[in-house]
Amino acid sequence: MMLDEAVGRRVCCDGERGTVRYVGPVPPTAGVWLGVEWDHPERGKHDGSHDGVRYFTCRHPTGGSFVRPQKASFGVDYVTALKQRYEVEIEEVTAEEMKISSKTVVMVGFENVKKKQSVKNLTEVGLRRCEVSAPGPENEIRNTTPFVQSLDLSGNLLSSWEVLAAITEQLDSLQELHLSHNRLSISSAPSSLSSAFSHLRVLSINSCALTWTQVLHCAPMWQQVEELYLADNNITELLRPEHVLQALTVLDLSNNQIAQETVLEISHLPRLERLNLSSTSLSEIKFSDVPAGKKTTLFPALKELLLDDNNISEWRVVNELEKLPSLVYLSCRRNPLLHKEKNLETARQIMIARLGQLELLDMRQILSDERRGAELDYCKMFGSAWLRAGGHREAEKNNPNTDFMTEHPRYLTLIQTITFLCPEDLERKPIEKKLPGSMIVQKVKGLLHRLLKLPGVELKLTYTCAKMADREIEIDNDLKPLQFYSVEDGDKILVRWS
C-alpha cells in the first residue's frame, strides 16, 4: 500500500495493535515514520508530541510512539488469512502418504477427510488475531466460504465498519459475528451498511473502546441482532434506544463504569430477557413507578440478571428486584451485602426469601425444600421486629408500620402462607433434647405435645442433617423408630402444626 494512505489504517508491531495517526518525518532523524496510537497505552511512550512538536493526539498520555514503516504489518486480506489458518492444517492432516521409519504407508480413505475439511464447506470460521485488514478481490470471499454462519474476527486489523461490511456482505448466511479487540472507525452513514448484516443475530464487540452513544449510532446496521455483547468498553452512561436494538433478548454491559442513575434508560427494551451488569460499580437500583410489593412495568421480559462484583450493600436493592415481573435467575456474587450476614449461606437464604419467583441463584438451583426452609427461617429471624412493628396473628389486628413493610415487603405474604407458624413461636428458642434412636415417632410426637403445650394438635415432623444441609427429610410414619429415618446425633427435628 501507499504510505500516504496509511493514516487511519490499523497496524501490528511485535504483537501489539494500533492505529496510524501520522505519516511523515520526525526531525532531526531522516526518513519516514509512522505515528501510532496503541490499543494498550503502556506500549507507547508519549501522547503524540516529540521535542515540543505535536504530530498527532492520543487518548492516553503514553498511548503513542513512532515506528518505521518496515517494522509495521498492515495485515492481509480475508482469504489469505483463511488459507494461512486452514489450508496449512488441511495439508498436514490430509497427506495421502505418511512415512513411518523408512517405509511409506498409504493412508486409505483420506480423500474423504479432505473433502470434509474443505474451506468451502465451513460454516464456522475462526480468524482471531490473524491480522485481517481487508476483504481482498471482489467476490473472492463469497466464492471461497459461501456457507459461513459464524465468524470470529476478534483482535484483527480492521480499520472501519465499511471495511468490515465489505467482508460480511459476501457471507449471505452469517448469523454470528465476533469483533472483540478491534478499533473500528464509526461510519457516517450506518444505515447504508445494514444489508451487510441483515441476517446477523449475535454480535460481540467487547473491548472495542466504544461509548454508548457510538453503539446507538451504529445500531441501525444491526436491526435483527438479538444478542449484543459490549463488555469492557468505554460505556459510562446509557441513553434510551429509540427505534434501535428493539429485538435484543441478551445484553452484556459488564466491566463498564456506568452511571447507575442511567440504567433504567434501557428498561423499555421489550424483549430483553438477559442483562449482565456485573462489574459496573452498581450500588443502587430503584423502580419508583410502583410501591413495595407491586410489580414494575419496567424490564417486562427480563428473566436473568447478573450483578456480580458490584457495590450492592443494602437489602433494599434486593427488595427492588422483587418488583421485576419475570425475574427467575439472579447472580449477585461478591457484593458487600453478602458479608453483612454471619455467612454466605445465610445471605443466600435471606435472598431466596425476599425474591419469591427466583428459581436459580448464583448458578445454583433453588429446590422447593430449600425455599420452604429459607422462608421459614426468614419469618423467624424477623418475627420479633414484626411484632414490635404492630404485627399480629389476627388479621384485623395485624397492622405493621410502613418502615417494616418497606424493609420486608414479602413478610406478610410469607406469614399468611406458612399457616403453621404463629407469632408467639417467632421468638421461641429451639428445644434441645436427646432422643434414643429406638424411640417410636408416635412417642416423639407425644413428648412434643407436652413440651410445646399443644394438646390435640396434628404435628408434622421433618429433620435436617449436616450431610444434606439443603434438604428436609419427612418423618411420615408414626410406627417407625427414629433410627429408621437415619436420624443421628446432632440432627435437628423440625416441628410444624396447623
Side-chain angles (χ1 to χ4, degrees), residues 77-91:
D77 63 65
Y78 173 97
V79 174
T80 299
L82 185 80
K83 291 178 179 178
Q84 291 173 348
R85 168 70 174 82
Y86 285 91
E87 292 194 355
V88 170
E89 291 184 3
I90 294 169
E91 288 172 6

Side-chain angles (χ1 to χ4, degrees), residues 378-440:
Y378 181 78
C379 285
K380 291 180 177 179
M381 185 180 301
F382 298 101
S384 298
W386 178 58
L387 293 171
R388 289 194 301 271
H392 200 279
R393 180 180 186 181
E394 298 178 23
E396 62 274 11
K397 296 180 180 180
N398 181 34
N399 188 28
N401 61 39
T402 302
D403 288 346
F404 182 85
M405 292 311 299
T406 300
E407 181 63 26
H408 305 281
R410 288 201 73 223
Y411 198 88
L412 189 58
T413 300
L414 293 178
I415 285 293
Q416 293 170 343
T417 303
I418 306 174
T419 56
F420 60 82
L421 192 64
C422 64
E424 292 79 6
D425 298 310
L426 295 170
E427 297 181 281
R428 190 190 297 274
K429 294 181 179 179
I431 297 172
E432 292 189 14
K433 197 84 174 175
K434 287 203 171 187
L435 304 175
S438 58
M439 192 172 189
I440 301 299

Side-chain angles (χ1 to χ4, degrees), residues 122 206 295 304 364:
L122 290 174
N206 301 321
K295 296 297 183 183
E304 303 179 30
R364 284 170 55 192

Side-chain angles (χ1 to χ4, degrees), residues 247-318:
L248 282 188
T249 60
V250 177
L251 178 59
D252 184 353
L253 294 169
S254 61
N255 286 291
N256 288 286
Q257 300 304 299
I258 299 173
Q260 62 188 20
E261 63 271 16
T262 69
V263 168
L264 296 186
E265 294 295 327
I266 58 172
S267 64
H268 299 281
L269 292 173
R271 301 180 186 177
L272 188 63
E273 296 182 1
R274 179 182 172 90
L275 175 61
N276 190 344
L277 292 174
S278 297
S279 300
T280 56
S281 298
L282 188 73
S283 62
E284 190 80 49
I285 187 166
K286 188 169 180 62
F287 304 110
S288 301
D289 60 323
V290 290
K294 302 295 183 180
K295 296 297 183 183
T296 179
T297 58
L298 306 178
F299 292 113
L302 191 64
K303 296 179 181 179
E304 303 179 30
L305 179 59
L306 283 72
L307 298 174
D308 299 331
D309 300 295
N310 276 305
N311 299 325
I312 298 170
S313 59
E314 301 295 336
W315 283 110
R316 66 171 179 267
V317 179
V318 178

Side-chain angles (χ1 to χ4, degrees), residues 40-84:
H40 297 117
E42 59 271 18
R43 166 65 175 82
K45 298 179 180 179
H46 50 71
D47 64 352
S49 299
H50 180 67
D51 287 344
V53 178
R54 175 163 298 283
Y55 294 89
F56 60 99
T57 58
C58 293
R59 298 180 184 179
H60 194 278
T62 60
S65 65
F66 295 101
V67 298
R68 292 294 190 183
Q70 58 269 28
K71 289 189 175 182
S73 168
F74 285 87
V76 296
D77 63 65
Y78 173 97
V79 174
T80 299
L82 185 80
K83 291 178 179 178
Q84 291 173 348

Side-chain angles (χ1 to χ4, degrees), residues 173-192:
S173 301
L174 187 64
Q175 297 182 32
E176 184 173 339
L177 180 60
H178 298 270
L179 294 172
S180 300
H181 301 281
N182 279 289
R183 296 289 186 272
L184 301 168
S185 64
I186 304 302
S187 172
S188 59
S191 296
S192 66

